[in-house]
Amino acid sequence: MTTTVPAATATATHPAVDRPTVDHPTVDRPGADLDELIRRDPGAHRVLTGDRPTGPLHLGHYFGTLQNRVRLQRLGTEMFVVVADYQVITDRDVADRLAEHTENLVLDYLAAGLDPDRATIFAHSAVPALNQLLLPFLSLVSVAELGRNPTVKDEIAHSGQSVVNGLMFTYPVHQAADILFCKANVVPVGQDQLPHLEVARTVARRFNERYPHLDGTGVFPRPDALLSAAPMLLGTDGGKMSKSRGNAVALSATADATARLIRGARTDTDRRITYEPAARPEVSSLVLLAALCQDRAPELVAEEIGDGGAAALKRTVTEAVNERFGPMRARREELAADRGYVRQVLRDGAERANAVADATLAEVRAVMGSV
């Protein structure tokens, strides 16, 4: 997965794999809880995650994915974080300000706590061997299967384009290459990204069946989804929080900008503040945001605000967000003053990722008989 979003609370399932590899054992064990398996043996897991550099990451990204990435890093899992710059052009004509967005995305990662000494952070375009996996992988998936992908359909609907390019349909297979080049067996995703991950699992299974090693083992593990436990945060317009929909509070937003955005958030006419996600989604999402920032139960936050109405709710949320993210913003400003360091992080990450991708591509060529 490259682009990850907050997900509704869910439990991942773990069907058995076909042919596990030796170096990176699969996490697919029937009835086992993936998060518990990672805590028990973090060294047995390799994580692939990342984002498209299309704009600043927002609060939904943090609570849905970034916070969890930092937790997995601290547990000791091996982590690859891809800045999916090639995938920017899936739903737009040009990759506008790509270098700037790439560096800013890395700044968000570092400020949030990702450590480049413990996580391989790299740009998609800097790893040629990764992209060479796309061709054999495309031969394993039918056009009909790509056309049925619900996540692709949703992304097409929100792309605003009258004509959809071919890369949009192959996007899930490109993501499969992102995941499988490093033989990741864990991919943190939101609920809406599960269809993409299923494509990666299908590609791994079919490749292993078609091109097994001489001893019958497969090249790739079938990656498993690690679903976020964070409930969905809505955007300020009451819709899904998204960089492209202009309804999100960026992690890099100033305290004043945060206050302005939250003041404009949609609520309802009931003065009494309650936490009822089904009946009052906009109000409840704001309550939840304050609760997440304060590490408290949303019901307690709502009870404290009581009859204060939307104005009191928004003040509470603004104070909670600015207090929680103040240190992160300060760290980001410090890092932004040295763009050379950010570029060095990408260079170092690309060097490590290229070594892994080259080895995987050599293995793929060997089992396909193309060497």
Side-chain angles (χ1 to χ4, degrees):
M1 92 80 244
T2 55
T3 304
T4 52
V5 294
T9 302
T11 302
T13 57
H14 315 290
V17 296
D18 304 301
R19 301 180 180 92
T21 60
V22 175
D23 291 338
H24 301 287
T26 178
V27 298
D28 293 342
R29 304 181 197 175
D33 177 79
L34 178 55
D35 199 58
E36 177 58 31
L37 288 173
I38 294 172
R39 286 195 297 269
R40 195 182 306 157
D41 190 5
H45 304 90
R46 177 175 278 185
V47 175
L48 185 285
T49 185
D51 306 272
R52 294 196 305 163
T54 55
L57 296 183
H58 53 65
L59 299 181
H61 287 119
Y62 179 80
F63 289 113
T65 61
L66 274 178
Q67 185 174 235
N68 198 36
R69 293 176 196 178
V70 174
R71 180 184 70 89
L72 291 169
Q73 174 186 267
R74 289 172 179 164
L75 285 174
T77 59
E78 187 175 10
M79 183 171 297
F80 284 73
V81 186
V82 58
V83 179
D85 51 352
Y86 268 168
Q87 294 176 5
V88 169
I89 53 176
T90 54
D91 60 355
R92 57 201 71 205
D93 295 329
V94 294
D96 185 43
R97 298 162 55 200
L98 189 56
E100 176 188 346
H101 285 321
T102 295
E103 290 183 13
N104 285 336
L105 188 57
V106 175
L107 283 171
D108 286 338
Y109 289 158
L110 300 177
L114 284 178
D115 182 351
D117 291 330
R118 301 166 67 186
T120 299
I121 302 171
F122 66 99
H124 196 156
S125 60
V127 187
L130 184 166
N131 294 291
Q132 289 187 58
L133 293 173
L134 180 62
L135 289 179
F137 285 0
L138 279 172
S139 73
L140 302 168
V141 183
S142 72
V143 173
E145 286 173 318
L146 293 175
R148 287 194 299 266
N149 189 301
T151 304
V152 170
K153 289 180 179 179
D154 181 68
E155 288 169 348
I156 289 173
H158 289 96
S159 69
Q161 291 185 315
S162 57
V163 177
V164 177
N165 66 41
L167 188 56
M168 175 65 82
F169 286 98
T170 61
Y171 187 19
V173 185
H174 219 158
Q175 286 193 320
D178 295 343
I179 296 164
L180 298 177
F181 96 93
C182 64
K183 300 187 179 180
N185 54 12
V186 177
V187 184
V189 293
Q191 189 78 32
D192 64 344
Q193 288 287 310
L194 285 177
H196 279 351
L197 185 62
E198 192 55 38
V199 172
R201 289 171 58 82
T202 297
V203 167
R205 175 178 59 80
R206 290 177 181 172
F207 189 94
N208 290 343
E209 290 172 349
R210 191 173 298 183
Y211 306 108
H213 284 295
L214 292 177
D215 63 0
T217 59
V219 173
F220 299 109
R222 286 172 68 188
D224 222 355
L226 181 62
L227 286 162
S228 169
M232 181 76 78
L233 284 174
L234 299 180
T236 53
D237 61 356
K240 173 185 172 182
M241 189 177 290
S242 170
K243 288 184 289 186
S244 62
R245 300 179 191 182
N247 63 357
V249 179
L251 295 177
S252 56
T254 64
D256 288 343
T258 298
R260 183 174 64 255
L261 289 165
I262 293 174
R263 277 198 304 271
R266 182 178 298 176
T267 55
D268 59 32
T269 57
D270 191 341
R271 186 168 182 79
R272 179 75 182 177
I273 300 302
T274 59
Y275 183 65
E276 301 174 81
R280 306 180 69 189
E282 294 94 349
V283 166
S284 296
S285 185
L286 287 171
V287 171
L288 176 61
L289 177 54
L292 289 170
C293 290
Q294 297 172 347
D295 295 316
R296 301 173 64 205
E299 292 82 2
L300 292 177
V301 173
E303 184 178 349
E304 282 188 2
I305 299 171
D307 293 324
L313 170 61
K314 292 177 181 181
R315 281 196 303 271
T316 298
V317 175
T318 299
E319 291 170 3
V321 169
N322 284 335
E323 182 175 351
R324 174 67 178 261
F325 290 96
M328 187 184 301
R329 291 165 177 164
R331 171 65 174 158
R332 193 184 188 284
E333 285 187 16
E334 180 183 338
L335 290 164
D338 186 0
R339 291 279 174 163
Y341 172 68
V342 175
R343 293 164 190 153
Q344 188 62 49
V345 167
L346 285 166
R347 283 194 293 269
D348 292 343
E351 183 178 356
R352 296 197 295 268
N354 271 297
V356 172
D358 289 344
T360 299
L361 184 59
E363 186 179 4
V364 164
R365 286 172 170 166
V367 297
M368 292 181 69
S370 61
V371 176

